[in-house]
Amino acid sequence: MLNLLDVVWILCIVPVWVTYLLLTHYPDKVPDVVVSAFLYGKLSKNKRASVLARISIPKRCFTQFYEYAVVLFTIWTLVLCCISIGLGAVPRKLKITMDVLIHNRTMKVPFAIILWTQLLLTVQVARRCYECMFVSVFSNVRMHIWHFAMGFIFYTGVQYSLLSLALPVAPELPAFSLSDLWSSHVILGSVMWLVAVWLEYDTAKRFAAFRKNADGKRVSSKHVAPYGGMFELISSPHYLAEIMVYTSITVVLGCTNLTWLLSLLWTYVNQIAIALLNHRWYQDRFKNYPSSRKAIIPFLL
């Protein structure tokens, strides 16, 4: 039986993939309002994506939903830590949000692994917030308000998708054992997470460097053909890294449910669709763009 969060994920996944397919195969038949809502950043400079420009916002506003995510994930990290040491249960108001979004939750993953996963996700959103505030050099492009809203929906969805595996409907406190963290899938997933985090941070630094001089001062907001590092193999290492982050979290968990798998599917669909469009934009914009470079998966896609 689907819960409300499952429905939200499906309502996000299907339109994005259908829109991508339409933009790829039947671009002239896609309504302007859909084009405006789907394309953002440099892709939004498509002449058809100007209809709803008056309700667009600067892309640098990405920072705000990362700030929200840091607060949300930190609150739940503290709650889960308190539960792990027996200091209490989920506060009533937070439990209401779980009952509304994930009424059919069950305890499918050992609680120590859930807490470790929660910590990894909290570090991830905090790191992304730091990158947006202190590393990235944003251009002057804008994004539709839909993308801004999706940031809040996505991180809320990820947090509660994890909780759907963690806290049963019944009020009993889950058992906590550190020995669960020595499982092979936890170690493997954690190593994968470290690699993904490094790749995403390295890509952010490279993007920023393209717009700075030797002294580290911003000198441009233009888009250039990226090079160096993973850019030599794919056009969007940051999108690959995002997929790797949530894939590694899935490996750490070792056991999932439909709600978490839908959150993972959303990550795949969204990142792959945008990466393919991004790759095509680079090819159209730069005549000498490397023909051997793929969009998001080295040597394959």
Side-chain angles (χ1 to χ4, degrees):
M1 180 179 179
L2 298 178
N3 58 44
L4 179 58
L5 187 52
D6 294 336
V7 175
V8 171
W9 282 128
I10 292 171
L11 291 177
C12 291
I13 293 168
V14 174
V16 166
W17 192 245
V18 170
T19 301
Y20 166 74
L21 293 176
L22 290 174
L23 284 173
T24 302
H25 300 288
Y26 307 100
D28 295 333
K29 296 184 179 181
V30 183
D32 287 0
V33 64
V34 176
V35 175
S36 298
F38 186 77
L39 301 179
Y40 68 94
K42 57 182 176 290
L43 299 178
S44 67
K45 292 184 178 181
N46 183 300
K47 63 182 180 180
R48 295 193 60 207
S50 60
V51 175
L52 299 180
R54 62 183 178 274
I55 59 172
S56 65
I57 59 177
K59 188 181 176 183
R60 63 178 60 90
C61 289
F62 269 179
T63 304
Q64 295 179 17
F65 58 69
Y66 285 122
E67 291 170 343
Y68 161 78
V70 169
V71 173
L72 176 67
F73 279 76
T74 300
I75 288 173
W76 276 108
T77 298
L78 293 175
V79 169
L80 295 179
C81 284
C82 288
I83 292 174
S84 70
I85 58 178
L87 290 183
V90 178
R92 181 175 176 274
K93 290 184 178 180
L94 292 179
K95 186 177 183 301
I96 290 174
T97 64
M98 290 197 300
D99 292 340
V100 171
L101 290 172
I102 45 175
H103 70 277
N104 57 347
R105 59 191 183 275
T106 56
M107 190 74 190
K108 298 190 67 174
V109 178
F111 193 70
I113 295 178
I114 289 293
L115 183 55
W116 176 243
T117 305
Q118 178 70 29
L119 291 171
L120 293 181
L121 287 171
T122 303
V123 171
Q124 165 67 4
V125 296
R127 186 190 60 78
R128 289 292 292 128
C129 187
Y130 171 82
E131 285 178 0
C132 286
M133 295 175 68
F134 303 109
V135 178
S136 298
V137 178
F138 291 101
S139 64
N140 296 321
V141 297
R142 302 176 70 83
M143 62 178 174
H144 191 270
I145 194 68
W146 159 252
H147 294 284
F148 185 65
M150 274 307 305
F152 291 92
I153 294 172
F154 174 73
Y155 285 109
T156 301
V158 167
Q159 177 62 86
Y160 282 88
S161 294
L162 178 62
L163 293 174
S164 72
L165 292 161
L167 300 172
V169 176
E172 70 268 12
L173 294 178
F176 181 87
S177 175
L178 284 175
S179 61
D180 292 326
L181 297 180
W182 293 106
S183 301
S184 58
H185 64 87
V186 175
I187 296 172
L188 174 61
S190 298
V191 172
M192 291 173 59
W193 180 85
L194 285 172
V195 173
V197 165
W198 172 84
L199 175 59
E200 197 162 30
Y201 182 66
D202 178 73
T203 304
K205 288 200 303 180
R206 291 180 186 276
F207 269 130
F210 295 147
R211 293 172 177 166
K212 295 179 180 180
N213 60 19
D215 297 325
K217 295 182 179 180
R218 175 173 177 165
V219 294
S220 173
S221 60
K222 295 181 179 180
H223 292 95
V224 301
Y227 58 88
M230 280 293 288
F231 282 118
E232 299 301 321
L233 297 177
I234 56 178
S235 296
S236 300
H238 49 316
Y239 296 144
L240 172 61
E242 194 75 2
I243 287 175
M244 289 173 61
V245 165
Y246 291 97
T247 301
S248 67
I249 293 296
T250 305
V251 173
V252 169
L253 289 170
C255 179
T256 62
N257 59 9
L258 177 62
T259 305
W260 180 264
L261 289 177
L262 285 172
S263 73
L264 182 64
L265 180 59
W266 159 254
T267 303
Y268 273 74
V269 167
N270 185 54
Q271 302 300 318
I272 290 175
I274 295 300
L276 291 172
L277 292 172
N278 195 47
H279 184 62
R280 181 180 299 176
W281 184 89
Y282 280 128
Q283 291 175 322
D284 293 341
R285 181 69 176 269
F286 303 104
K287 294 182 179 180
N288 296 322
Y289 199 71
S291 59
S292 61
R293 191 176 298 182
K294 298 298 183 179
I296 188 170
I297 302 177
F299 312 112
L300 295 177
L301 181 63

